[in-house]
Amino acid sequence: MKCFNQIWEIALREMKILKKNPMYGFCMVVFPLLTMVFFTSLLDDGLPQDLPVGVVDLDNTSTTRALTRKLDGFQNSRVVAHFQSVAEARHAMQENEIYGFLYFPKGTTSNLISARRPKVSFYYSNVSLSGGSMVMKDLKTVSTLGSAAVGMATLRAKGATDKQIQAFLQPIRIDLHQVANPWSNYNVYLSTVFVPGIMMLFMFLISAYSLGMELKFNRGKEWIEKADGKIVVAIIGKYLPHILVFLLLMFFYQFYIYHVLHFPHVGGWMMVVLLSLLGVFGSIGFGIFAFGLMPSLRMSMSICSLWGVLSFSLAGSAFPAMGMDAPLQALTWLFPLRHYYMLFQITVFNGYPLIDAWFHLVALIGFTLMPWFVISKVKNAMLTYVYIP
């Protein structure tokens, strides 16, 4: 009972500190909320639309004009200019005025009709990976449609039925299903990882900052004394308000994206709640461990900043971990965001059972328990260290 009273007193003390220092309010509430709004509104359309493309039509026939109209009708592409030469179109692409262009050389239609296999070219810029990929897909589709249209007309003239034409043009029918996110919504792919990643970065920093401020203002001894020298009680009481604030923030974010924005969550709400709990506890645990490893405000926050920033590259959401070099693949296991992402991908996004992600579950629990290895060093720092700016 005495331990609970001590935890409560230390938690009240911590809430007064949080109230007095505006840094906590900004890093624990304001900035994470701004991050949520920024990312979810930035990617609100889901996919890039009406990306500017050009056309170099030296043939200028009804067939090439029809293909140009089809390209303009695609959701992702919009024909904004017609160029007189490939050099002009290439210059426009180098100036970032267009993402790509389609080139119809002179005689394209006549060669199509006479089955002389004309060469239709398309060029696209991959400086912007997503934009270039979207444009490339549309340009390739239009090029394929051109040959298919002529082939269909030729077969019809020979008396072939629609079924025979379809079997000839597409002998193997592809039945394609994109699971979990059939809309290819970039908001679903990115916001579900980037926003929690930034929130985890703030958790790292605030956890280390909170201990560093005790050392800086020489409040460490008084904090430990309130727990009668029991560092475990002191840690629990100190971080109880942090945990409650971050959990409320994380639950609000999950409610916002899944209930308001209707992001898919095949795994159900129980897995979402479990993932939120593990993300918060694992992040705070890592922040405490970083301070225990280097009991210095500056050094511990530098470690947390480095770990948080590297998490975005090594989590595997932007570039798959299996495509990285072997040393980098091994390094990915040291980042809480990697395990958060894998748990989200396996259990929430795809709805597979938790046993399929047991290693990542254990890893996040391990990050939660990491302070245990440095807890005596934290106590020693509070009682004996002198703050050095």
Side-chain angles (χ1 to χ4, degrees):
M1 193 66 178
K2 185 179 179 182
C3 287
F4 288 110
N5 290 333
Q6 290 170 343
I7 289 173
W8 177 247
E9 288 178 8
I10 295 171
L12 290 176
R13 171 185 177 274
E14 186 66 19
M15 283 190 281
K16 291 177 183 176
I17 294 173
L18 298 182
K19 186 178 178 182
K20 286 181 182 178
N21 191 343
M23 182 66 71
Y24 289 105
F26 279 105
C27 292
M28 294 175 72
V29 180
V30 177
F31 292 148
L33 286 175
L34 288 176
T35 300
M36 292 181 201
V37 174
F38 174 76
F39 274 100
T40 53
S41 59
L42 178 69
L43 302 168
D44 187 49
D45 289 336
L47 275 174
Q49 297 181 7
D50 293 334
L51 297 171
V53 295
V55 173
V56 180
D57 188 0
L58 301 183
D59 198 38
N60 196 24
T61 62
S62 59
T63 302
T64 57
R65 288 195 295 270
L67 291 174
T68 301
R69 287 194 297 272
K70 286 181 180 178
L71 176 63
D72 193 40
F74 287 147
Q75 183 180 4
N76 299 327
S77 303
R78 180 166 59 91
V79 178
V80 296
H82 290 75
F83 301 99
Q84 298 300 316
S85 66
V86 172
E88 287 183 20
R90 185 177 61 186
H91 180 72
M93 193 164 64
Q94 290 171 343
E95 294 290 326
N96 289 323
E97 296 174 6
I98 56 175
Y99 282 95
F101 64 91
L102 188 62
Y103 171 50
F104 296 112
K106 193 169 183 61
T108 298
T109 304
S110 60
N111 289 334
L112 267 174
I113 295 171
S114 58
R116 288 200 295 266
R117 299 183 64 189
K119 186 176 181 181
V120 175
S121 306
F122 57 86
Y123 301 81
Y124 62 96
S125 171
N126 240 4
V127 173
S128 172
L129 185 60
S130 59
S133 300
M134 295 289 179
V135 166
M136 184 273 288
K137 184 177 70 173
D138 287 353
L139 292 171
K140 186 176 181 180
T141 302
V142 166
S143 302
T144 306
L145 286 175
S147 59
V150 174
M152 188 179 296
T154 304
L155 289 171
R156 272 215 181 93
K158 293 180 179 180
T161 64
D162 289 343
K163 191 173 182 180
Q164 291 172 328
I165 292 172
Q166 187 177 10
F168 180 80
L169 294 177
Q170 192 180 24
I172 299 175
R173 184 178 178 182
I174 299 172
D175 190 13
L176 182 65
H177 298 275
Q178 188 169 326
V179 297
N181 185 13
W183 318 276
S184 297
N185 190 326
Y186 275 45
N187 208 359
V188 173
Y189 285 132
L190 300 179
S191 294
T192 48
V193 179
F194 282 178
V195 175
I198 294 173
M199 291 170 67
M200 291 170 80
L201 172 60
F202 283 122
M203 293 178 210
F204 292 170
L205 293 171
I206 287 297
S207 302
Y209 175 79
S210 182
L211 290 173
M213 294 302 283
E214 297 284 0
L215 197 61
K216 179 177 181 179
F217 293 107
N218 200 24
R219 299 192 305 247
K221 291 180 182 178
E222 177 253 333
W223 168 47
I224 299 296
E225 286 171 1
K226 278 187 172 292
D228 289 339
K230 293 179 286 225
I231 185 62
V232 175
V233 173
I235 289 286
I236 293 173
K238 182 172 185 60
Y239 285 98
L240 186 59
H242 295 235
I243 290 170
L244 292 176
V245 171
F246 281 125
L247 276 178
L248 284 173
L249 198 65
M250 187 68 86
F251 287 146
F252 170 76
Y253 173 68
Q254 307 288 17
F255 174 82
Y256 173 62
I257 61 172
Y258 294 123
H259 186 73
V260 178
L261 299 183
H262 303 291
F263 282 16
H265 51 290
V266 183
W269 279 102
M270 289 300 294
M271 289 310 307
V272 171
V273 171
L274 177 63
L275 188 61
S276 301
L277 289 169
L278 290 171
V280 171
F281 282 109
S283 300
I284 292 177
F286 179 84
I288 298 171
F289 174 79
F291 181 86
L293 202 63
M294 300 287 290
S296 161
L297 177 63
R298 182 178 67 252
M299 291 303 298
S300 60
M301 291 190 70
S302 297
I303 293 172
C304 290
S305 299
L306 176 65
W307 228 248
V309 171
L310 286 177
S311 296
F312 295 103
S313 300
L314 297 175
S317 59
F319 187 86
M322 65 184 69
M324 301 177 186
D325 292 336
L328 291 178
Q329 287 189 42
L331 194 62
T332 60
W333 301 105
L334 302 179
F335 295 85
L337 184 59
R338 167 65 179 172
H339 302 288
Y340 177 95
Y341 169 67
M342 292 303 294
L343 263 174
F344 161 76
Q345 185 186 58
I346 294 170
T347 61
V348 177
F349 191 69
N350 288 308
Y352 298 133
L354 185 60
I355 192 66
D356 290 355
W358 69 270
F359 184 86
H360 304 288
L361 174 70
V362 171
L364 282 178
I365 294 173
F367 279 108
T368 304
L369 299 176
M370 280 177 73
W372 186 259
F373 298 100
V374 296
I375 203 164
S376 59
K377 197 172 180 180
V378 173
K379 181 179 179 180
N380 183 53
M382 294 299 156
L383 296 177
T384 61
Y385 282 26
V386 176
Y387 176 76
I388 300 175

